[in-house]
Amino acid sequence: MTMDWNDLKVALAIVRHGTLSAAARSLGTTQPTTSRRLDGLERRLGAKLFDREAGGLRPTVLCQSLVDGLERMDAGALSVQRQVAARDTGLSGEILVTSLDWLGDEVIAPMLARFGAVHPGLVIELVNDTKVFNLARREADLAFRFGSFAQENLVERRIGEIAYALYASENYLERHGSPEATNGFSGHLLVLLDRAAGEVPHEAWLPVLAHRARTVLHANGLRAHLAAVRSGTAMAVLPCLLANREPSLRRVAVPHPGVVRAVRVGFHSDMRDTPRIRALVDFMVLEFASMEGQINPQG
């Protein structure tokens, strides 16, 4: 019996994700297509691979016995794909890049555009998402983020830094005055990240120093913080390179050195010697170096 790897991938995706809809999303297809492929595979096998339950699909004993082999096949197929993607094609081909929120839009995107402008043989795609892309599964070629990478077989490189400081608008400071650490910023208003984010390094110091200030908003995106500060409503910790572009904002002097966060790029070790990947990473390092004056918290 000849097995179609595309059908076997469906079975493996359902094992991993538990439902047809989640498996379809992971495969980039639709739930009806995923269901049809599973039905066809089970017919050809003459056996059920999953028991249908209210909460999803549960692998049968037969299916469980196949999982190790399917995982090995999947790993082998991905390895072949990475080797093909890493072939020496010079500075041509496609590069899929992922990043986060404002970092991707405000910092990474202009750099990628400049790189693409001088390399017409490249097609560069940027996806900004809170999702952690699996680089081993070629969900992306490069990822730019804060913090280290937890996935195996990745090359990680620190390529730059982003500094943060406390900012307020001129209007806010005229109305409220400069905050005083000696009284815990009493009478002042703050915008902080949403509580689901937990303790974030660039902001963790502020509630301690400003323990008598009132938090008027928790928001999960730094653009919301920037907008609130620009409106003159409250103060917030912002990336210096964004806040310094705003003529109405002023850096607030506080007895704290501020925080500098490292920006890291990660890619699979199989892509280490790929010319387009190597060239892009080297270019990004130079780009971040050229921004040093913008990110210096004392600048």
Side-chain angles (χ1 to χ4, degrees):
M1 179 188 302
T2 301
M3 291 286 99
D4 186 334
W5 172 232
N6 289 321
D7 292 337
L8 295 174
K9 281 199 300 186
V10 166
L12 183 58
I14 297 171
V15 170
R16 288 170 172 166
H17 299 282
T19 66
L20 287 171
S21 57
R25 286 194 297 273
S26 74
L27 295 169
T29 185
T30 64
Q31 180 175 333
T33 299
T34 303
S35 180
R36 284 196 299 272
R37 282 194 171 276
L38 175 60
D39 290 342
L41 177 59
E42 289 182 327
R43 282 197 304 272
R44 288 190 294 277
L45 290 174
K48 291 176 60 178
L49 294 176
F50 297 91
D51 290 320
R52 277 66 172 172
E53 298 180 341
L57 301 180
R58 180 171 56 86
T60 62
V61 173
L62 171 61
C63 185
Q64 290 173 347
S65 71
L66 300 176
V67 170
D68 285 346
L70 292 176
E71 292 282 9
R72 288 193 296 272
M73 291 175 67
D74 188 49
L78 288 169
S79 178
V80 170
Q81 290 176 20
R82 288 194 300 269
Q83 290 176 44
V84 170
R87 69 194 185 280
D88 188 352
T89 58
L91 295 182
S92 62
E94 299 182 358
I95 306 177
L96 175 58
V97 180
T98 177
S99 190
L100 302 167
D101 191 39
W102 72 270
L103 175 67
D105 288 341
E106 301 289 343
V107 181
I108 303 300
M111 294 179 178
L112 294 178
R114 287 191 285 272
F115 185 74
V118 296
H119 297 294
L122 289 173
V123 177
I124 304 172
E125 181 176 353
L126 172 64
V127 178
N128 290 323
D129 201 311
T130 55
K131 169 188 172 182
V132 177
F133 285 73
N134 190 324
L135 301 179
R137 299 190 62 79
R138 298 234 41 235
E139 292 179 351
D141 297 311
L142 290 170
F144 293 91
R145 65 180 64 152
F146 299 110
S148 296
F149 291 78
Q151 298 171 21
E152 296 181 356
N153 299 319
L154 296 189
V155 176
E156 177 183 317
R157 183 173 176 182
R158 178 173 175 151
I159 63 167
E161 297 177 333
I162 299 291
Y164 293 78
L166 182 64
Y167 285 85
S169 71
E170 290 180 344
N171 179 268
Y172 176 92
L173 294 173
E174 288 172 1
R175 288 183 290 111
H176 294 270
S178 297
E180 294 288 340
T182 54
N183 66 8
F185 287 19
S186 177
H188 284 273
L189 307 175
L190 298 175
V191 175
L192 300 177
L193 281 169
D194 65 310
R195 286 166 286 186
E199 186 172 283
V200 181
H202 68 261
E203 193 180 80
W205 60 272
L206 184 57
V208 177
L209 189 66
H211 58 275
R212 296 186 64 188
R214 184 161 64 90
T215 300
V216 297
L217 175 67
H218 291 274
N220 68 348
L222 281 176
R223 285 194 187 85
H225 294 214
L226 177 60
V229 174
R230 189 192 294 125
S231 75
T233 304
M235 302 184 297
V237 176
L238 298 170
C240 296
L241 65 88
L242 289 188
N244 289 347
R245 299 173 185 171
E246 300 284 334
S248 67
L249 300 193
R250 297 292 176 264
R251 190 177 302 177
V252 179
V254 296
H256 188 276
V259 174
V260 176
R261 300 190 67 184
V263 179
R264 292 178 169 85
V265 61
F267 51 94
H268 198 277
S269 57
D270 286 352
M271 307 290 284
R272 183 196 305 267
D273 297 321
T274 307
R276 62 185 181 277
I277 300 298
R278 191 169 62 243
L280 177 53
V281 171
D282 290 344
F283 177 85
M284 299 297 276
V285 171
L286 293 175
E287 286 281 301
F288 269 92
S290 71
M291 290 171 49
E292 186 174 354
Q294 300 179 51
I295 68 173
N296 183 350
Q298 301 304 318

